[in-house]
């Protein structure tokens, strides 16, 4: 059987790390997902003057302090990107590539890095708009599909979908060589809006438009509402109360993903509150 | 209990049913569907006789999937008196599903 953690922390920025150390102090069995750099925003900061205790410090230096801190507490980052999280009732199932992790509670500390949505994107979600082409491809057998790809990995999905769809349009949102099969029609134009009636009908671009039955939007990072189906958002942020509790039982959130101001201290403070709320919740279930 | 439904008995079991009927449109290749399966199972146990639960494989019942315009799965449709009273697209937490289905019991 898979191990069921007390707390799974998604993200590795200041909010996540602060949550991790507090959960560890309270003796919880935790797992934290993220990357070696902790946060792209941390290592990019040229100079930080508003982090109490550190005056005039570079982002990379602060990162080293964070690293030292978690190392001393025996916390290790699991370098894995979580693709989706399912609230199963008693527990959460976290999916990373083909792997599955389980935890009784989760803390979302994913930052804010997901670009703007297209006009119509949200409204047609599930009615022709999707975020996982390989998941829904068989439903588009013999139909016309458009993929808006933000990275190289999207090409692989496009190749797969093209075997099922009658026609496939690929709109690359990056420059480079495209490794796509001949059936796929590459369109170099900027998508602006998704249109239709009760279902998707068209993608409107700057210079042209395409008739299509389905649109898949494939990006690097996933908006929290898609990462955790059923999670309540408030504009582009996760809705939390002052205890960092979301609308889903056992799911907490902290840092930039919960709203402004986007600052290290706020992120860390929220991470701490989220961890303590998770600990309290664990003692009640 | 969640019963497997095939096209042939759809009208009889869903459209003509006296009770609220919950139909889970799924397919074996769909990851979120596999996650939702056990959640629906649990709900059917908890809700008991007040609603009938079915799952329908969209690969094997393309005509019904087309008829109900299923463009993303999992998709759970709640029927009452032969009419659609609620549609849930994508995975939903158990709590949400429970709240939505309870409204129609
Ligand atoms: C150039 C720059 C300078 C800044 N200077 C300052 C400053 O001087 N003072 C200040 O207070 N603030 C500053 N900020 C803002 C600060 O960086 C952010 O407020 C802070 O990093 C937010 O922390 P966070 O933990 O919420 O998220 P982030 O730091 O964004 O960390 C989130 C991490 O989680 C990872 N992640 C996301 N989704 C997943 C997933 N599904 N699975 C696994 N991992 C995931 C991300 O890749 C990222 O590494 C600056 C920002 C920038 C860009």
């Amino acid at each position: 059987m898979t191990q069921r953690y007390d707390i799974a922390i998604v993200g590795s920025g200041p909010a996540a790390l602060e949550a991790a150390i507090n959960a560890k102090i309270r003796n919880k069995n935790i797992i934290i997902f993220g990357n070696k750099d902790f946060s792209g925003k941390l290592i990019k900061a040229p100079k930080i003057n508003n982090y109490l205790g550190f005056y005039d410090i570079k982002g990379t230096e602060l990162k080293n302090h964070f690293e030292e801190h978690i190392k001393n507490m025996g916390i290790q980052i699991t370098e894995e990107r979580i693709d989706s999280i399912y609230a199963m009732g008693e527990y959460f199932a976290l999916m990373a590539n083909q792997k599955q992790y389980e935890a009784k509670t989760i803390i979302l500390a994913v930052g804010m890095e997901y670009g703007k949505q297209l006009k119509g994107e949200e409204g047609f979600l599930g009615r022709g708009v999707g975020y996982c082409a390989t998941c829904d491809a068989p439903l588009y057998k013999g139909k016309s599909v458009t993929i808006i790809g933000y990275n190289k990995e999207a090409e692989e999905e496009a190749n797969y979908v093209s075997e099922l769809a009658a026609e496939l349009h690929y709109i690359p949102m990056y420059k480079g060589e495209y490794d796509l099969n001949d059936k796929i029609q590459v369109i170099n134009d900027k998508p602006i809006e998704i249109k239709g009636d009760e279902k998707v009908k068209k993608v409107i671009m700057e210079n042209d438009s395409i008739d299509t039955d389905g649109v898949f939007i494939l990006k690097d990072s996933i908006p929290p509402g898609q990462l955790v189906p059923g999670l309540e958002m408030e504009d582009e942020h996760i809705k939390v109360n002052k205890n960092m509790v979301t609308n889903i039982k056992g799911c907490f959130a902290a840092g930039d993903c919960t709203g402004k101001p986007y600052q290290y201290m706020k992120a860390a403070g929220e991470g701490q509150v989220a961890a303590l709320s998770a600990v309290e919740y664990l003692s009640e279930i | 209990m969640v019963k497997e439904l095939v096209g042939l008995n759809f009208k009889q079991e869903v459209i003509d049913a006296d009770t609220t009927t919950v139909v889970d449109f799924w397919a074996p290749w769909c990851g979120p569907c596999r996650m939702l399966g056990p959640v629906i199972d649990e709900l059917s146990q908890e809700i008991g006789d007040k609603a009938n639960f079915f799952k329908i494989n969209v690969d094997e019942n393309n005509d019904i999937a087309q008829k109900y315009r299923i463009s993303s799965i999992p998709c759970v449709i709640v029927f009452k008196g032969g009419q659609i009273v609620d549609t849930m697209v994508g995975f939903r937490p158990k709590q949400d599903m429970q709240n939505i289905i309870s409204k129609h019991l």
Side-chain angles (χ1 to χ4, degrees), chain A residues 44-219:
Chain A
K44 268 187 226 139
K47 182 184 188 168
I48 303 159
N49 279 332
N50 65 342
Y51 200 97
L52 184 65
F54 295 98
Y55 180 69
D56 192 15
I57 191 169
K58 279 215 270 297
T60 47
E61 291 172 90
L62 188 58
K63 185 226 154 202
N64 291 340
H65 285 290
F66 287 174
E67 189 156 26
E68 185 76 20
H69 193 151
I70 62 163
K71 214 171 92 192
N72 279 318
M73 293 185 65
I75 295 167
Q76 248 176 4
I77 301 208
T78 303
E79 284 176 45
E80 200 115 57
R81 200 185 83 135
I82 299 297
D83 297 316
S84 41
I85 302 172
Y86 301 115
M88 303 296 290
E90 305 272 283
Y91 70 99
F92 293 88
L94 298 95
M95 320 301 274
N97 286 311
Q98 299 305 322
K99 268 184 261 163
Q100 182 178 333
Y101 297 89
E102 289 184 11
K104 293 180 203 159
T105 66
I106 52 167
I107 296 175
L108 302 170
V110 294
M112 262 312 269
E113 244 166 323
Y114 23 94
K116 254 216 173 104
Q117 289 201 321
L118 291 175
K119 203 167 159 209
E121 179 176 334
E122 208 177 349
F124 286 109
L125 187 59
R127 295 187 296 138
V129 170
Y131 296 100
C132 176
T134 47
C135 301
D136 289 337
L139 294 171
Y140 290 94
K141 215 178 276 170
K143 295 191 173 170
S144 162
V145 175
T146 304
I147 291 183
I148 304 176
Y150 284 80
N151 54 33
K152 287 290 288 178
E153 284 86 71
E155 295 167 21
E156 227 171 278
E157 292 203 44
N159 284 330
Y160 167 72
V161 178
S162 73
E163 290 165 20
L164 294 159
E167 50 171 12
L168 196 129
H169 312 279
Y170 188 81
I171 311 181
M173 301 297 281
Y174 54 93
K175 293 221 160 56
E177 295 273 298
Y178 309 123
D179 199 3
L180 296 166
N181 67 37
D182 300 339
K183 260 186 74 182
I184 299 174
Q185 201 188 334
V186 177
I187 297 175
N188 287 300
D189 203 341
K190 194 169 164 255
I192 291 172
E193 186 179 353
I194 298 165
K195 274 195 162 159
D197 36 51
E198 72 250 52
K199 277 187 124 186
V200 166
K201 286 259 164 73
K202 261 186 196 327
V203 177
I204 312 289
M205 297 169 298
E206 221 159 52
N207 303 308
D208 206 354
S209 75
I210 340 174
D211 292 330
T212 195
D213 300 305
V215 183
F216 290 103
I217 300 166
L218 309 179
K219 288 183 182 171

Side-chain angles (χ1 to χ4, degrees), chain A residues 6 85-93 103-108 228-232 239 244-253 277-278 281-282 284-285, chain B residues 93-96 98-99:
Chain A
D6 291 325
I85 302 172
Y86 301 115
M88 303 296 290
E90 305 272 283
Y91 70 99
F92 293 88
K104 293 180 203 159
T105 66
I106 52 167
I107 296 175
L108 302 170
V228 190
L231 186 68
E232 195 180 335
K239 193 174 174 193
M244 302 293 125
V245 176
T246 71
N247 67 311
I248 299 176
K249 273 202 191 101
C251 173
F252 306 87
S277 290
Y281 174 82
L282 284 165
E284 285 164 5
I285 56 171
Chain B
K94 189 177 163 191
Q95 242 180 293
D96 283 15
Q98 197 162 23
N99 292 345

Side-chain angles (χ1 to χ4, degrees), chain A residues 9-17 33-35 37-42 44-51 78 80-85 109-113 221-222 227 254-258 261-268:
Chain A
I9 300 166
V10 187
S12 52
L17 299 178
F33 298 99
N35 56 72
D37 286 338
F38 296 163
S39 157
K41 287 190 181 166
L42 185 57
K44 268 187 226 139
K47 182 184 188 168
I48 303 159
N49 279 332
N50 65 342
Y51 200 97
T78 303
E80 200 115 57
R81 200 185 83 135
I82 299 297
D83 297 316
S84 41
I85 302 172
V110 294
M112 262 312 269
E113 244 166 323
S221 47
I222 315 156
L227 182 65
D256 285 2
C257 61
T258 69
Y262 299 154
Q263 310 251 278
Y264 298 117
M265 273 283 175
K266 180 254 188 192

Side-chain angles (χ1 to χ4, degrees), chain B residues 11-23:
Chain B
K11 183 173 183 300
Q12 184 195 340
E13 298 276 27
V14 180
I15 304 299
D16 298 341
D18 295 329
T19 48
T20 299
T21 308
V22 180
V23 185

